[in-house]
Amino acid sequence: MRSTETAADRIPAHPDVAAVPLQAVLEALVDPVRRSIVTQLADAAADIRCGDFDLPVSKSTATHHFRVLREAGLIRQHYAGTSRMNTLRRTEFETAFPGLLTALTQATHTAAVTARQESPKAG
C-alpha cells in the first residue's frame, strides 16, 4: 500500500442494491461461474477469500466474475490484511428482490444433485 493510500482506498465501490435494475442482476447471474460464487457464499458460515472459491477458471477470469457480481450489488468486497474477502449482500438483496437468492441457491443445489445422479459411475 502506498504511503498516501488508506485501507478505505483499496475497497472497491459498491452500488446501492435498491438502485440496481433487475436486468443487471439477471445478467450477472446468467453465468454458471457467478452462480457458483453466489451459492458458495450463501452456503458459507463466514466471508470467503477470493482464492478460496472452488472455481474452474483462472485467477484473472475469477477477478472479472467478482467484479460483475459486485457491480450488480450481489457481493460486498473488503480487505482483511492482504486478502480480498467476499460477502453475499443477502439482507439488502432480499429487501430489493424478495426470494431471488433463495430460488437461485435451491435451483443450483437441485441441479447439482441431478447431475450427480445422472453421471455414469466409474467402475
Side-chain angles (χ1 to χ4, degrees):
M1 187 162 39
R2 293 176 303 225
S3 61
T4 59
E5 185 178 47
T6 67
D9 293 333
R10 295 175 59 208
I11 299 173
H14 296 87
D16 175 4
V17 176
V20 175
L22 178 60
Q23 182 71 27
V25 173
L26 295 177
E27 287 173 2
L29 293 172
V30 74
D31 187 278
V33 172
R34 293 192 288 265
R35 286 195 308 271
S36 174
I37 292 168
V38 170
T39 301
Q40 288 178 61
L41 284 169
D43 292 346
D47 297 351
I48 302 176
R49 191 173 64 89
C50 287
D52 289 346
F53 284 88
D54 181 20
L55 300 175
V57 296
S58 68
K59 184 177 177 180
S60 62
T61 301
T63 298
H64 163 74
H65 289 299
F66 289 120
R67 181 184 54 78
V68 170
L69 290 171
R70 186 182 68 247
E71 290 175 352
L74 284 152
I75 65 171
R76 179 170 304 282
Q77 293 185 306
H78 66 277
Y79 279 92
T82 59
S83 297
R84 186 176 271 196
M85 305 300 290
N86 297 277
T87 305
L88 186 62
R89 296 175 72 181
R90 186 187 315 267
T91 302
E92 297 164 273
F93 218 80
E94 188 59 31
T95 299
F97 304 100
L100 182 60
L101 286 177
T102 300
L104 171 77
T105 55
Q106 287 176 348
T108 302
H109 289 302
T110 299
V113 168
T114 301
R116 281 194 302 271
Q117 292 171 344
E118 293 176 354
S119 68
K121 295 183 180 178

